Amino acid sequence: GYALSLRRRKMIEEAFGWIKTVGGLRKTRHKGLEKLSGQALFTFAAYNLTRLLNLMRPAVA
């Protein structure tokens, strides 16, 4: 149970780390809930696309 928890935690921390550094959500550019929500949605979608590309890449043996 604990080993699984550690693996899941690593996945979550990597995602939020990427979103804050690469995605630019550490310091937002917009004011207002609607604009910030849009930026967050766009950033999370970009992260999901990059993760999807890595998952679809064939494993090299």
Side-chain angles (χ1 to χ4, degrees):
Y2 185 66
L4 178 64
S5 172
L6 289 177
R7 277 184 287 174
R8 292 293 181 197
R9 186 181 308 159
K10 183 177 185 304
M11 281 178 49
I12 298 299
E13 292 294 330
E14 284 178 354
F16 279 97
W18 188 94
I19 288 165
K20 286 171 80 173
T21 57
V22 178
L25 280 184
R26 183 176 306 274
K27 188 173 182 181
T28 62
R29 285 180 236 130
H30 306 291
K31 289 187 179 181
L33 190 58
E34 285 185 15
K35 290 180 183 179
L36 186 58
S37 295
Q39 181 187 4
L41 180 69
F42 186 74
T43 305
F44 278 90
Y47 175 74
N48 284 333
L49 287 174
T50 58
R51 188 166 180 268
L52 194 70
L53 286 174
N54 288 334
L55 290 174
M56 290 174 51
R57 186 175 297 151
V60 179

